[in-house]
Coordinates of all heavy atoms in Angstrom, one line a residue:
L1 N 79.6 134.7 85.4 CA 80.3 135.0 86.6 C 81.4 134.0 86.8 O 81.3 132.9 86.5 CB 79.3 134.9 87.8 CG 78.1 135.8 87.8 CD1 77.2 135.4 89.0 CD2 78.6 137.2 88.0
A2 N 82.5 134.6 87.3 CA 83.7 133.7 87.5 C 83.4 132.7 88.7 O 82.8 133.0 89.6 CB 84.9 134.6 87.9
H3 N 84.0 131.5 88.5 CA 83.8 130.5 89.5 C 85.0 130.4 90.5 O 85.0 129.8 91.5 CB 83.5 129.2 88.9 CG 84.7 128.6 88.2 ND1 85.1 128.9 87.0 CD2 85.6 127.7 88.7 CE1 86.2 128.2 86.6 NE2 86.5 127.5 87.6
H4 N 86.1 131.1 90.1 CA 87.4 131.0 90.8 C 87.4 131.8 92.1 O 86.9 132.9 92.1 CB 88.6 131.4 90.0 CG 88.8 130.4 88.9 ND1 89.3 129.1 89.1 CD2 88.5 130.5 87.5 CE1 89.4 128.5 87.9 NE2 88.9 129.3 87.0
G5 N 87.9 131.3 93.1 CA 88.2 132.0 94.4 C 89.6 131.8 94.8 O 89.9 131.2 95.9
W6 N 90.6 132.1 93.9 CA 92.0 131.7 94.2 C 92.5 132.4 95.4 O 93.5 131.9 96.0 CB 92.8 132.0 93.0 CG 92.6 131.2 91.7 CD1 92.7 131.6 90.5 CD2 92.2 129.8 91.6 NE1 92.4 130.6 89.6 CE2 92.1 129.4 90.3 CE3 92.0 128.8 92.6 CZ2 91.8 128.2 89.8 CZ3 91.7 127.5 92.1 CH2 91.6 127.2 90.8
S7 N 91.9 133.5 95.9 CA 92.4 134.1 97.1 C 92.2 133.2 98.3 O 92.8 133.5 99.4 CB 91.7 135.4 97.3 OG 90.3 135.3 97.5
R8 N 91.4 132.2 98.2 CA 91.2 131.2 99.3 C 92.4 130.3 99.5 O 92.5 129.6 100.5 CB 90.0 130.3 99.0 CG 88.7 131.0 98.8 CD 87.6 130.1 98.5 NE 87.9 129.4 97.3 CZ 87.2 128.3 96.9 NH1 86.3 127.8 97.6 NH2 87.5 127.7 95.7
Y9 N 93.4 130.4 98.6 CA 94.6 129.6 98.7 C 95.8 130.4 99.1 O 95.9 131.6 98.7 CB 94.8 128.8 97.4 CG 93.7 127.9 97.1 CD1 92.6 128.4 96.3 CD2 93.6 126.7 97.6 CE1 91.6 127.6 96.0 CE2 92.5 125.8 97.3 CZ 91.5 126.3 96.5 OH 90.4 125.5 96.2
D10 N 96.7 129.9 99.9 CA 97.8 130.6 100.5 C 99.0 130.5 99.6 O 99.8 129.6 99.8 CB 98.0 130.0 101.9 CG 99.1 130.9 102.7 OD1 99.6 131.8 102.1 OD2 99.3 130.5 103.9
S11 N 99.2 131.4 98.7 CA 100.3 131.4 97.8 C 101.6 131.7 98.5 O 102.7 131.6 97.8 CB 100.1 132.3 96.6 OG 99.9 133.7 97.0
D12 N 101.6 132.2 99.7 CA 102.8 132.4 100.4 C 103.4 131.1 101.1 O 104.5 131.2 101.6 CB 102.6 133.4 101.6 CG 102.3 134.8 101.0 OD1 102.8 135.2 99.9 OD2 101.6 135.6 101.7
N13 N 102.7 130.1 101.0 CA 103.1 128.8 101.6 C 102.9 127.6 100.7 O 102.1 126.7 101.0 CB 102.4 128.6 102.9 CG 102.7 129.5 104.0 OD1 103.9 129.6 104.4 ND2 101.8 130.3 104.5
P14 N 103.7 127.6 99.6 CA 103.6 126.5 98.7 C 104.0 125.1 99.4 O 104.8 125.1 100.3 CB 104.6 126.8 97.6 CG 105.5 127.7 98.2 CD 104.8 128.5 99.2
M15 N 103.4 124.1 98.9 CA 103.7 122.8 99.5 C 103.6 121.7 98.3 O 103.1 122.0 97.3 CB 102.7 122.4 100.6 CG 101.3 122.3 100.2 SD 100.1 121.9 101.6 CE 100.7 120.4 102.2
T16 N 104.3 120.6 98.6 CA 104.3 119.5 97.7 C 103.8 118.2 98.4 O 104.2 118.0 99.5 CB 105.8 119.2 97.2 OG1 106.3 120.4 96.6 CG2 105.9 118.1 96.3
I17 N 102.9 117.5 97.7 CA 102.4 116.3 98.3 C 102.5 115.2 97.2 O 102.4 115.4 96.0 CB 100.9 116.4 98.8 CG1 99.9 116.8 97.7 CG2 100.8 117.4 99.9 CD1 98.5 116.8 98.1
T18 N 102.7 114.0 97.7 CA 102.9 112.8 96.8 C 102.1 111.7 97.4 O 102.0 111.5 98.6 CB 104.4 112.4 96.8 OG1 105.1 113.5 96.2 CG2 104.5 111.1 95.9
G19 N 101.4 110.9 96.5 CA 100.7 109.8 97.0 C 99.8 109.2 95.9 O 99.8 109.7 94.8
P20 N 99.1 108.1 96.2 CA 98.3 107.5 95.2 C 97.0 108.3 95.0 O 96.5 108.9 95.9 CB 98.0 106.1 95.8 CG 98.1 106.3 97.3 CD 99.2 107.4 97.4
V21 N 96.5 108.3 93.8 CA 95.2 108.9 93.5 C 94.1 108.0 94.0 O 94.0 106.8 93.7 CB 95.0 109.1 92.0 CG1 93.7 109.7 91.6 CG2 96.2 110.0 91.4
V22 N 93.2 108.6 94.8 CA 92.0 107.9 95.4 C 90.9 108.0 94.3 O 90.2 107.0 94.1 CB 91.6 108.5 96.7 CG1 90.3 107.9 97.2 CG2 92.7 108.4 97.7
S23 N 90.7 109.1 93.7 CA 89.7 109.3 92.7 C 90.1 110.6 91.9 O 90.9 111.4 92.3 CB 88.3 109.5 93.3 OG 88.3 110.7 94.1
S24 N 89.6 110.7 90.7 CA 89.9 111.8 89.8 C 88.7 112.2 89.0 O 87.9 111.3 88.6 CB 91.2 111.5 89.0 OG 90.9 110.5 88.0
S25 N 88.7 113.4 88.6 CA 87.7 114.0 87.7 C 88.4 114.7 86.6 O 89.3 115.6 86.9 CB 86.8 114.9 88.4 OG 85.9 115.6 87.5
Y26 N 88.1 114.5 85.3 CA 88.7 115.1 84.2 C 87.7 115.9 83.5 O 87.6 115.9 82.3 CB 89.3 114.0 83.3 CG 90.6 114.4 82.6 CD1 91.8 114.4 83.2 CD2 90.5 114.7 81.2 CE1 92.9 114.8 82.5 CE2 91.6 115.1 80.5 CZ 92.8 115.1 81.2 OH 94.0 115.4 80.5
G27 N 86.9 116.7 84.2 CA 85.8 117.5 83.6 C 86.0 119.0 83.7 O 86.9 119.4 84.4
N28 N 85.2 119.7 83.1 CA 85.2 121.2 83.1 C 84.4 121.7 84.3 O 83.5 121.0 84.7 CB 84.6 121.7 81.8 CG 85.6 121.5 80.7 OD1 86.8 121.8 80.8 ND2 85.2 121.0 79.5
P29 N 84.7 122.8 84.9 CA 85.7 123.8 84.3 C 87.1 123.5 84.6 O 88.0 124.1 84.0 CB 85.3 125.1 85.0 CG 84.7 124.6 86.3 CD 84.0 123.3 86.0
H30 N 87.4 122.5 85.5 CA 88.8 122.1 85.7 C 88.7 120.7 86.3 O 87.7 120.2 86.8 CB 89.5 123.0 86.7 CG 88.7 123.3 87.9 ND1 88.5 122.4 89.0 CD2 88.1 124.5 88.3 CE1 87.8 123.0 89.9 NE2 87.5 124.2 89.5
G31 N 89.8 120.0 86.1 CA 90.0 118.7 86.7 C 90.2 118.7 88.2 O 90.5 119.8 88.7
S32 N 90.1 117.6 88.8 CA 90.4 117.5 90.2 C 90.8 116.1 90.6 O 90.5 115.2 89.8 CB 89.2 118.0 91.1 OG 88.1 117.1 91.0
L33 N 91.4 115.9 91.7 CA 91.7 114.6 92.2 C 91.7 114.6 93.7 O 91.8 115.6 94.3 CB 93.0 114.0 91.6 CG 94.3 114.7 91.7 CD1 95.0 114.4 93.0 CD2 95.2 114.3 90.6
V34 N 91.6 113.4 94.2 CA 91.7 113.2 95.7 C 93.0 112.3 95.8 O 93.1 111.3 95.1 CB 90.5 112.5 96.3 CG1 90.8 112.2 97.8 CG2 89.3 113.4 96.1
L35 N 93.9 112.8 96.6 CA 95.2 112.2 96.7 C 95.5 111.8 98.2 O 95.3 112.6 99.1 CB 96.3 113.2 96.3 CG 97.8 112.8 96.2 CD1 97.9 111.8 95.1 CD2 98.6 114.0 96.0
A36 N 95.8 110.6 98.4 CA 96.1 110.1 99.8 C 97.6 110.5 100.1 O 98.5 110.2 99.4 CB 96.0 108.6 99.9
H37 N 97.7 111.3 101.2 CA 99.0 111.8 101.6 C 99.1 112.0 103.1 O 98.2 112.7 103.7 CB 99.3 113.2 100.9 CG 100.6 113.8 101.4 ND1 101.8 113.4 100.9 CD2 100.8 114.8 102.2 CE1 102.7 114.2 101.5 NE2 102.1 115.0 102.3
D38 N 100.0 111.3 103.7 CA 100.2 111.4 105.2 C 99.0 111.2 106.0 O 98.6 111.9 106.9 CB 100.8 112.8 105.6 CG 102.3 112.9 105.3 OD1 102.9 111.9 105.0 OD2 102.8 114.0 105.4
G39 N 98.2 110.1 105.6 CA 97.1 109.7 106.4 C 95.8 110.6 106.1 O 94.8 110.4 106.8
R40 N 95.9 111.5 105.2 CA 94.7 112.3 104.9 C 94.4 112.2 103.4 O 95.3 112.0 102.6 CB 95.0 113.8 105.2 CG 95.2 114.0 106.7 CD 95.5 115.5 106.9 NE 94.3 116.3 107.0 CZ 94.3 117.6 107.2 NH1 95.4 118.3 107.2 NH2 93.2 118.2 107.3
D41 N 93.2 112.4 103.0 CA 92.8 112.5 101.6 C 92.7 114.0 101.3 O 92.0 114.8 101.9 CB 91.4 111.9 101.4 CG 91.5 110.4 101.4 OD1 92.6 109.8 101.3 OD2 90.4 109.8 101.4
W42 N 93.6 114.4 100.3 CA 93.7 115.8 99.9 C 92.9 116.0 98.6 O 93.1 115.2 97.6 CB 95.1 116.2 99.6 CG 95.9 116.4 100.9 CD1 96.4 115.5 101.7 CD2 96.2 117.7 101.4 NE1 97.0 116.1 102.8 CE2 96.9 117.5 102.6 CE3 96.0 119.0 101.0 CZ2 97.4 118.5 103.4 CZ3 96.5 120.0 101.8 CH2 97.2 119.8 103.0
T43 N 92.0 117.0 98.5 CA 91.4 117.4 97.3 C 92.3 118.3 96.6 O 92.8 119.3 97.1 CB 90.0 118.1 97.6 OG1 89.2 117.2 98.3 CG2 89.4 118.6 96.3
V44 N 92.6 118.0 95.3 CA 93.5 118.8 94.5 C 92.8 119.4 93.3 O 92.2 118.6 92.5 CB 94.7 118.0 94.0 CG1 95.7 118.8 93.2 CG2 95.5 117.3 95.2
I45 N 92.8 120.7 93.2 CA 92.2 121.4 92.1 C 93.2 121.5 91.0 O 94.2 122.2 91.2 CB 91.6 122.8 92.5 CG1 90.8 122.7 93.8 CG2 90.9 123.5 91.3 CD1 89.6 121.8 93.6
L46 N 92.9 121.0 89.8 CA 93.8 121.0 88.7 C 93.4 122.0 87.6 O 92.5 122.8 87.9 CB 93.8 119.6 88.0 CG 94.2 118.4 88.9 CD1 93.9 117.1 88.3 CD2 95.7 118.6 89.3
A47 N 94.0 122.0 86.5 CA 93.7 122.9 85.4 C 92.5 122.3 84.5 O 92.1 121.1 84.8 CB 94.9 123.0 84.5
P48 N 92.0 123.1 83.6 CA 91.0 122.5 82.7 C 91.5 121.3 81.9 O 92.7 121.3 81.6 CB 90.6 123.7 81.8 CG 91.0 124.9 82.6 CD 92.2 124.5 83.4
P49 N 90.7 120.4 81.6 CA 91.2 119.2 80.9 C 91.9 119.5 79.5 O 92.9 118.9 79.2 CB 89.9 118.4 80.6 CG 89.0 118.8 81.7 CD 89.3 120.2 82.0
A50 N 91.4 120.5 78.8 CA 92.1 120.8 77.5 C 93.5 121.3 77.8 O 94.4 120.9 77.0 CB 91.3 121.9 76.8
R51 N 93.7 122.1 78.8 CA 95.1 122.5 79.1 C 96.0 121.4 79.5 O 97.1 121.3 79.1 CB 95.1 123.6 80.2 CG 96.4 124.2 80.5 CD 96.4 125.2 81.6 NE 95.4 126.2 81.4 CZ 94.9 127.0 82.3 NH1 95.3 126.8 83.6 NH2 93.9 127.8 82.1
M52 N 95.4 120.5 80.4 CA 96.2 119.3 80.8 C 96.6 118.5 79.6 O 97.8 118.0 79.5 CB 95.5 118.6 81.9 CG 95.4 119.3 83.2 SD 94.8 118.3 84.6 CE 93.2 117.9 84.1
E53 N 95.7 118.2 78.7 CA 96.0 117.4 77.5 C 97.0 118.0 76.7 O 98.0 117.4 76.3 CB 94.7 117.2 76.7 CG 93.7 116.1 77.3 CD 94.1 114.7 77.0 OE1 94.9 114.4 76.1 OE2 93.7 113.8 77.8
T54 N 96.9 119.3 76.4 CA 97.8 120.0 75.6 C 99.2 120.0 76.2 O 100.2 119.9 75.5 CB 97.4 121.5 75.4 OG1 96.1 121.5 74.8 CG2 98.4 122.3 74.6
R55 N 99.3 120.0 77.5 CA 100.6 120.0 78.2 C 101.2 118.7 78.5 O 102.2 118.5 79.1 CB 100.6 120.9 79.4 CG 100.3 122.4 79.0 CD 100.3 123.3 80.1 NE 99.9 124.6 79.7 CZ 99.8 125.7 80.5 NH1 100.0 125.5 81.8 NH2 99.5 126.9 80.0
G56 N 100.4 117.6 78.2 CA 100.9 116.3 78.4 C 100.4 115.4 79.5 O 100.9 114.4 79.8
V57 N 99.3 115.9 80.2 CA 98.7 115.1 81.3 C 97.4 114.4 80.8 O 96.4 115.1 80.6 CB 98.4 115.9 82.5 CG1 97.8 115.0 83.6 CG2 99.7 116.5 83.0
S58 N 97.4 113.1 80.6 CA 96.2 112.5 80.1 C 95.4 112.0 81.3 O 95.8 111.9 82.4 CB 96.6 111.2 79.3 OG 97.2 110.3 80.1
R59 N 94.1 111.7 81.0 CA 93.2 111.1 82.0 C 93.8 109.9 82.7 O 93.7 109.7 83.9 CB 91.9 110.8 81.3 CG 90.9 110.2 82.2 CD 89.6 109.7 81.4 NE 89.1 110.7 80.5 CZ 88.1 111.6 80.7 NH1 87.5 111.5 81.9 NH2 87.7 112.4 79.8
E60 N 94.5 109.0 81.9 CA 95.1 107.8 82.4 C 96.2 108.1 83.4 O 96.4 107.3 84.3 CB 95.6 106.9 81.3 CG 94.5 106.4 80.3 CD 93.9 107.5 79.4 OE1 94.7 108.4 79.0 OE2 92.8 107.3 79.0
M61 N 96.9 109.2 83.2 CA 98.1 109.5 84.1 C 97.7 109.8 85.5 O 98.5 109.7 86.4 CB 98.9 110.6 83.5 CG 99.6 110.2 82.2 SD 100.3 111.6 81.3 CE 101.7 111.9 82.3
I62 N 96.4 110.3 85.7 CA 95.9 110.6 87.0 C 94.7 109.7 87.4 O 93.9 110.1 88.3 CB 95.5 112.1 87.1 CG1 94.3 112.4 86.1 CG2 96.7 113.0 86.8 CD1 93.7 113.8 86.3
A63 N 94.7 108.5 86.9 CA 93.6 107.6 87.2 C 93.9 107.0 88.6 O 95.0 107.1 89.2 CB 93.6 106.4 86.2
Q64 N 92.8 106.5 89.2 CA 92.8 105.9 90.5 C 94.0 104.9 90.6 O 94.2 104.1 89.7 CB 91.5 105.2 90.8 CG 91.4 104.6 92.2 CD 90.1 103.9 92.4 OE1 89.2 103.9 91.6 NE2 89.9 103.5 93.7
G65 N 94.7 105.0 91.7 CA 95.8 104.1 92.0 C 97.2 104.6 91.5 O 98.2 104.1 91.9
R66 N 97.2 105.6 90.6 CA 98.5 106.1 90.1 C 99.1 107.0 91.1 O 98.5 107.7 91.9 CB 98.2 106.9 88.8 CG 97.6 106.2 87.6 CD 98.4 105.0 87.1 NE 99.6 105.4 86.5 CZ 99.8 105.5 85.2 NH1 98.8 105.4 84.3 NH2 101.0 105.9 84.8
E67 N 100.4 106.9 91.2 CA 101.2 107.8 92.1 C 101.5 109.1 91.4 O 102.0 109.1 90.3 CB 102.5 107.1 92.4 CG 103.4 107.8 93.4 CD 103.2 107.4 94.8 OE1 102.4 106.6 95.1 OE2 103.9 108.0 95.7
V68 N 101.2 110.2 92.1 CA 101.4 111.5 91.5 C 102.0 112.4 92.6 O 101.8 112.2 93.8 CB 100.2 112.2 90.9 CG1 99.6 111.3 89.8 CG2 99.1 112.5 91.9
T69 N 102.7 113.5 92.1 CA 103.2 114.5 93.0 C 102.6 115.8 92.5 O 102.6 116.1 91.3 CB 104.8 114.6 93.0 OG1 105.3 113.4 93.4 CG2 105.3 115.7 93.8
V70 N 102.1 116.6 93.5 CA 101.5 117.9 93.1 C 102.2 119.0 94.0 O 102.3 118.8 95.2 CB 100.0 117.9 93.4 CG1 99.3 119.2 93.1 CG2 99.3 116.7 92.7
E71 N 102.5 120.1 93.3 CA 103.0 121.2 94.0 C 102.0 122.3 93.8 O 101.4 122.5 92.7 CB 104.3 121.7 93.3 CG 105.4 120.7 93.3 CD 106.6 121.1 92.5 OE1 107.1 122.3 92.7 OE2 107.0 120.3 91.6
G72 N 101.7 123.0 94.9 CA 100.6 124.0 94.9 C 100.5 124.7 96.2 O 101.4 124.8 97.0
Y73 N 99.3 125.3 96.3 CA 99.0 126.2 97.5 C 97.8 125.6 98.3 O 96.8 125.3 97.7 CB 98.6 127.6 97.0 CG 99.7 128.2 96.1 CD1 99.4 128.5 94.8 CD2 101.0 128.3 96.5 CE1 100.4 129.1 94.0 CE2 102.0 128.8 95.7 CZ 101.7 129.2 94.4 OH 102.6 129.7 93.6
P74 N 98.0 125.5 99.6 CA 97.0 125.0 100.5 C 95.8 125.9 100.7 O 96.0 127.2 100.6 CB 97.7 124.7 101.8 CG 98.8 125.7 101.8 CD 99.2 125.9 100.4
H75 N 94.7 125.4 101.0 CA 93.5 126.2 101.4 C 93.8 127.0 102.7 O 94.4 126.4 103.6 CB 92.3 125.4 101.5 CG 91.0 126.1 101.3 ND1 90.5 127.0 102.3 CD2 90.1 126.2 100.3 CE1 89.4 127.5 101.8 NE2 89.2 127.0 100.6
R76 N 93.4 128.2 102.7 CA 93.7 129.1 103.9 C 93.0 128.6 105.2 O 93.4 128.8 106.3 CB 93.3 130.5 103.7 CG 94.2 131.2 102.7 CD 93.9 132.7 102.5 NE 94.6 133.3 101.5 CZ 95.9 133.8 101.6 NH1 96.5 133.6 102.8 NH2 96.5 134.3 100.6
D77 N 91.9 127.8 105.0 CA 91.1 127.4 106.2 C 91.7 126.2 106.9 O 91.1 125.7 107.8 CB 89.6 127.3 105.8 CG 89.3 126.1 105.0 OD1 90.2 125.3 104.6 OD2 88.1 125.9 104.6
G78 N 92.8 125.6 106.3 CA 93.4 124.5 106.9 C 92.8 123.1 106.5 O 93.3 122.1 106.9
S79 N 91.8 123.2 105.6 CA 91.3 121.9 105.1 C 92.3 121.3 104.1 O 93.1 122.0 103.6 CB 89.9 122.2 104.4 OG 90.1 123.0 103.3
P80 N 92.2 120.0 104.0 CA 93.2 119.3 103.1 C 92.8 119.5 101.6 O 92.3 118.6 100.9 CB 93.1 117.8 103.5 CG 91.7 117.7 104.0 CD 91.3 119.0 104.6
E81 N 93.0 120.7 101.1 CA 92.7 121.1 99.7 C 93.9 121.9 99.2 O 94.4 122.7 99.9 CB 91.4 121.9 99.7 CG 91.0 122.2 98.2 CD 89.7 122.8 98.2 OE1 88.7 122.3 98.7 OE2 89.6 124.0 97.6
L82 N 94.2 121.6 98.0 CA 95.4 122.2 97.3 C 95.0 122.7 95.9 O 94.4 121.9 95.2 CB 96.5 121.2 97.3 CG 97.9 121.6 96.9 CD1 98.5 122.4 98.1 CD2 98.8 120.4 96.6
R83 N 95.4 123.9 95.6 CA 95.3 124.4 94.2 C 96.6 124.1 93.5 O 97.7 124.6 93.9 CB 95.0 125.9 94.2 CG 94.9 126.4 92.8 CD 94.8 127.9 92.7 NE 96.1 128.4 92.1 CZ 96.5 129.6 92.2 NH1 95.8 130.5 92.9 NH2 97.6 129.9 91.6
A84 N 96.6 123.2 92.5 CA 97.9 122.7 91.9 C 98.4 123.8 91.0 O 97.7 124.4 90.1 CB 97.6 121.5 91.2
E85 N 99.8 123.9 91.0 CA 100.5 124.7 90.1 C 101.2 123.8 89.1 O 101.4 124.2 87.9 CB 101.5 125.6 90.8 CG 100.9 126.8 91.6 CD 100.2 127.8 90.6 OE1 100.8 128.2 89.6 OE2 99.0 128.2 90.9
R86 N 101.7 122.7 89.6 CA 102.3 121.7 88.7 C 102.1 120.3 89.2 O 101.8 120.1 90.4 CB 103.8 122.0 88.5 CG 104.8 121.7 89.6 CD 106.1 122.3 89.4 NE 106.2 123.7 89.0 CZ 106.0 124.7 89.8 NH1 105.8 124.5 91.1 NH2 106.0 126.0 89.4
I87 N 102.1 119.4 88.3 CA 101.9 118.0 88.7 C 102.9 117.1 88.0 O 103.4 117.4 86.8 CB 100.5 117.5 88.2 CG1 100.1 116.1 88.8 CG2 100.3 117.7 86.7 CD1 98.7 115.7 88.6
T88 N 103.4 116.1 88.7 CA 104.2 115.1 88.1 C 103.5 113.8 88.1 O 103.1 113.3 89.2 CB 105.6 114.9 88.9 OG1 106.2 116.2 88.9 CG2 106.5 113.9 88.2
A89 N 103.2 113.2 86.9 CA 102.5 112.0 86.8 C 103.1 111.2 85.6 O 103.4 111.8 84.6 CB 101.0 112.3 86.5
G90 N 103.3 109.9 85.8 CA 103.8 109.1 84.7 C 105.2 109.6 84.3 O 105.5 109.4 83.1
G91 N 106.0 110.1 85.2 CA 107.3 110.6 84.9 C 107.4 111.9 84.1 O 108.4 112.4 83.7
T92 N 106.2 112.6 84.0 CA 106.1 113.9 83.3 C 105.7 115.0 84.3 O 104.8 114.8 85.0 CB 105.1 113.8 82.1 OG1 105.5 112.8 81.2 CG2 104.9 115.1 81.4
T93 N 106.5 116.1 84.3 CA 106.1 117.2 85.1 C 105.5 118.3 84.2 O 106.1 118.7 83.2 CB 107.3 117.7 85.9 OG1 107.8 116.7 86.7 CG2 107.0 119.0 86.7
V94 N 104.4 118.8 84.6 CA 103.6 119.8 83.8 C 103.2 121.0 84.7 O 102.7 120.8 85.8 CB 102.4 119.1 83.2 CG1 101.5 120.1 82.5 CG2 102.8 118.0 82.3
E95 N 103.5 122.2 84.1 CA 103.0 123.4 84.7 C 101.5 123.5 84.4 O 101.1 123.4 83.2 CB 103.7 124.6 84.2 CG 105.2 124.7 84.5 CD 105.5 124.9 85.9 OE1 104.7 125.7 86.6 OE2 106.5 124.4 86.4
L96 N 100.6 123.8 85.3 CA 99.2 123.8 85.1 C 98.6 125.2 85.0 O 97.5 125.4 84.4 CB 98.5 123.0 86.2 CG 98.8 121.6 86.3 CD1 98.1 121.0 87.5 CD2 98.4 120.8 85.0
R97 N 99.2 126.2 85.5 CA 98.7 127.6 85.4 C 99.3 128.4 84.3 O 100.3 128.2 83.8 CB 98.9 128.3 86.8 CG 98.2 127.5 87.9 CD 96.7 127.7 87.9 NE 96.1 126.7 88.8 CZ 95.1 126.0 88.4 NH1 94.5 126.1 87.3 NH2 94.6 125.1 89.3

């Protein structure tokens, strides 16, 4: 069974957030991180680790304390959660989808 529920994210309202990584996970089925932005901790859903590695995003680039910028779609329910389409980390911008 599919685990994705991408319809939960509002693709009509893309947004960009920047801040330090509070925590990150580089596991399957996809990576994730918590990013501090404007006084809130945002959960960011990333691509699978193999895709991120192939496209140039290493585990170290999204480690705790690193500054990253994520462009993506916010959760429709207003919670601080974002489905990432691209990430800029360590001076590298990568398309994730």
Side-chain angles (χ1 to χ4, degrees):
L1 297 173
H3 71 277
H4 293 286
W6 294 143
S7 64
R8 297 180 301 166
Y9 298 93
D10 188 356
S11 61
D12 292 330
N13 291 301
M15 62 183 298
T16 301
I17 61 174
T18 299
V21 174
V22 175
S23 64
S24 65
S25 168
Y26 210 79
N28 286 311
H30 49 73
S32 65
L33 55 86
V34 175
L35 185 68
H37 175 77
D38 282 348
R40 297 176 84 184
D41 285 347
W42 284 78
T43 299
V44 179
I45 308 302
L46 301 169
R51 185 181 311 157
M52 290 192 296
E53 284 282 339
T54 300
R55 295 183 183 177
V57 178
S58 68
R59 179 186 313 261
E60 294 76 26
M61 292 168 76
I62 62 169
Q64 183 178 4
R66 302 295 297 261
E67 181 93 0
V68 301
T69 297
V70 180
E71 298 172 55
Y73 306 120
H75 202 286
R76 290 184 186 278
D77 71 2
S79 63
E81 183 173 304
L82 192 72
R83 181 188 110 195
E85 288 294 314
R86 72 191 50 78
I87 187 169
T88 302
T92 301
T93 299
V94 175
E95 298 289 327
L96 296 176
R97 302 284 164 227

